[in-house]
Amino acid sequence: MSRVTTVLPGVLPGIRRARKEEREEISRLLGEAFMADPVSGWVFPDEEHRRTVHPRFFGVFLDAALRDGWVDVLEDHSAAALWLPVMVGEAAGAGAGHGEDDGHDEMTEALAAADPGNERTRIVGELTALAHPMDRSHYYLPNIVAAPGRTGGGRGSALLKAVLERCDREGMPAYLEASNARSKALYERHGFVFTGRTVDLPGGPPMWPMWREPRG
């Protein structure tokens, strides 16, 4: 049985946790949303190949979030955000989320396997892992997207706000890598600060690691 969600002009659909059975739909959303992203264009220079492999590549992050963290979606599937808890010290020993050294090697290998023979998948995984601060527990946002044609309507801000309010309540920092200047500006409006050193892809665009301290 399907459910139709009516969206009034200027009113966003509700936010909820994604279910595992929605994986394929969300992976397609991720793939479509990143088609014009400069980093994806560097990793997959051929557009047709990019379109084919994108759902599999971003499915690596999606599977990790569904397994170890959570995925927030708008009811109409026009936007989604993937979150992973990264736990350090005593929190890591409690068994919640990734530990200090857990996950990075596994993620890099999975990204490389998503497109065998494409060394750039491994490079982006290794360089982002090196830039990722691992001295404090935090919530990591590997991907947040709105469907093509649905950007600029507040969807990303709504998804961010829901989790950042939780960060403030819990005293938990948040971390992400911005892959373009527009998204960097969005994150800055929500309190993220550039860590000071870009991830420089060989012959490709920069990425901006960004950290947000909890407020209040």
Side-chain angles (χ1 to χ4, degrees), residues 189-205:
R189 292 197 295 272
H190 287 273
F192 285 88
V193 177
F194 173 45
T195 61
R197 185 173 181 178
T198 56
V199 174
D200 296 315
L201 303 172

Side-chain angles (χ1 to χ4, degrees), residues 31 37 41 63 69 83-84 97-98 126 163 197:
D37 184 79
D63 288 339
W83 290 93
L84 283 165
H98 289 290
E126 290 177 346
V163 176
R197 185 173 181 178

Side-chain angles (χ1 to χ4, degrees), residues 63-136:
D63 288 339
L66 288 170
R67 182 184 66 243
D68 300 322
W70 70 93
V71 179
D72 288 333
V73 294
L74 294 188
E75 282 281 2
D76 65 350
H77 288 103
S78 62
L82 283 53
W83 290 93
L84 283 165
V86 177
M87 298 300 160
V88 177
E90 293 182 2
H98 289 290
E100 295 174 68
D101 299 314
D102 295 340
H104 281 319
D105 289 343
E106 179 183 346
M107 184 78 73
T108 297
E109 292 302 319
L111 291 172
D115 192 24
N118 183 355
E119 187 61 20
R120 291 183 176 187
T121 58
R122 182 181 298 277
I123 290 171
V124 73
E126 290 177 346
L127 292 181
T128 53
L130 286 172
H132 195 144
M134 297 300 291
D135 57 336
R136 292 173 62 191

